[in-house]
Amino acid sequence: MASKIFLKYNLPYTNILTAADTINTYYADDEKDFKNFNNSLFTDSFKSEFLAEVAAAKSLMNDFCAVEEQLKEIDDIKKIIALCTSAYQELKFFVERTFPGNLTVWNQFGFIDYSIATSSLTRLIQFMGRLCYIAEKFKDVLANNGYSTIKLIRLNNLKDELIKEVAEQSEAKKNGASQTSDRINSLNKVWEKMVDINEASLIIFKNNYAKLQKYLLPSNNFDFQNNYENKAIPSDEKVQNI
């Protein structure tokens, strides 16, 4: 079983990426000071790696195809369920008039099972499969009472569409989980670079208040575009499970 992936901060991702751009700009100006402080951490490639990680995170955060696909699949399934319900009610109408008062036949058509069947997609698929089988079994007598072959074909098509949509939703969920993990890992890399810069700046510029303000980490009440008077937040910030 795969372990859960955690964000290393409790902030909107937009705050993190906006702050990363700002900190990266200031780091470029003060790169020499950071290298002199610790050239094993702040290597010649640190700046370019940071830029690349920010760009990668932005790309992933702008790609919500998996989420949108899941929402689309959910909407499609709701539509199919509604159509299945409508088709079943139509069939039920003809069954009641073709077999008046015949509880044995009615039960074969799921008269007492439908409410249970709609409690889950798996049960509904099973119900629709059985319903199509029984409708096929009685198709001739039903046809004589107005339930046409076209209606039966439509019922079977709805069953197939339901199976297809449920399978696609399952696949979308798998893809969504994978892309969510990628986004979290990418954002964590950006955050780690920001923490490295912030913690080093507290030492390098300990006597320069103006410089310290430039390397503050964002908080929930911090707007990097308009506010530079926020206090730095602790580097051991509580991990947020999403």
Side-chain angles (χ1 to χ4, degrees):
M1 181 177 178
S3 58
K4 291 183 178 179
I5 301 175
F6 298 90
L7 278 174
K8 296 186 176 182
Y9 56 85
N10 182 18
L11 295 164
Y13 76 86
T14 50
N15 289 30
I16 299 303
L17 295 178
T18 300
D21 284 336
T22 303
I23 288 176
N24 216 336
T25 298
Y26 291 131
Y27 176 81
D29 293 337
D30 298 324
E31 184 178 16
K32 183 178 179 180
D33 293 317
F34 283 93
K35 285 183 176 180
N36 289 338
F37 172 68
N38 186 342
N39 60 17
S40 62
L41 173 59
F42 300 107
T43 61
D44 291 339
S45 62
F46 183 92
K47 180 174 65 176
S48 61
E49 289 171 359
F50 191 11
L51 285 169
E53 287 167 0
V54 172
K58 286 181 178 180
S59 176
L60 285 170
M61 295 312 298
N62 287 332
D63 182 14
F64 284 106
C65 291
V67 175
E68 291 176 351
E69 184 64 22
Q70 287 183 53
L71 293 175
K72 177 182 179 298
E73 295 301 337
I74 290 172
D75 187 54
D76 289 345
I77 286 176
K78 286 181 179 179
K79 292 178 181 177
I80 293 298
I81 291 174
L83 291 172
C84 287
T85 298
S86 178
Y88 174 64
Q89 295 299 329
E90 182 181 30
L91 173 58
K92 186 177 178 182
F93 173 88
F94 287 98
V95 170
E96 288 174 340
R97 282 150 185 80
T98 302
F99 307 99
N102 192 332
L103 297 181
T104 300
V105 174
W106 288 9
N107 288 339
Q108 289 186 60
F109 281 92
F111 279 27
I112 62 174
D113 298 329
Y114 185 71
S115 60
I116 297 174
T118 55
S119 64
S120 77
L121 289 173
T122 299
R123 286 177 176 173
L124 183 58
I125 288 174
Q126 293 171 346
F127 178 87
M128 289 297 294
R130 186 172 65 253
L131 184 66
C132 289
Y133 171 78
I134 297 300
E136 181 69 26
K137 176 182 174 181
F138 290 102
K139 67 178 181 179
D140 291 335
V141 65
L142 285 169
N144 290 336
N145 286 274
Y147 192 77
S148 65
T149 301
I150 293 176
K151 294 181 187 296
L152 180 57
I153 291 173
R154 180 172 177 271
L155 186 70
N156 277 278
N157 287 343
L158 286 172
K159 179 256 297 179
D160 293 340
E161 287 180 35
L162 178 65
I163 293 172
K164 174 176 174 289
E165 292 298 340
V166 170
E168 289 180 356
Q169 184 195 52
S170 178
E171 186 64 24
K173 284 182 178 179
K174 291 178 183 178
N175 292 337
S178 175
Q179 292 194 14
T180 296
S181 297
D182 291 342
R183 285 193 288 269
I184 292 174
N185 285 329
S186 184
L187 286 166
N188 279 344
K189 288 180 180 179
V190 172
W191 178 255
E192 288 164 4
K193 284 283 197 301
M194 291 168 65
V195 170
D196 286 340
I197 293 173
N198 168 261
E199 292 184 343
S201 73
L202 296 175
I203 299 172
I204 298 170
F205 306 116
K206 61 183 178 181
N207 296 319
N208 190 330
Y209 178 81
K211 285 280 190 182
L212 290 175
Q213 300 309 296
K214 293 180 178 181
Y215 294 105
L216 292 175
L217 295 175
S219 72
N220 283 317
N221 298 318
F222 189 77
D223 183 344
F224 252 80
Q225 293 178 326
N226 301 308
N227 184 353
Y228 291 89
E229 296 301 323
N230 203 53
K231 293 182 179 179
I233 59 177
S235 60
D236 60 347
E237 188 174 27
K238 181 180 178 181
V239 170
Q240 173 71 16
N241 180 9
I242 68 169

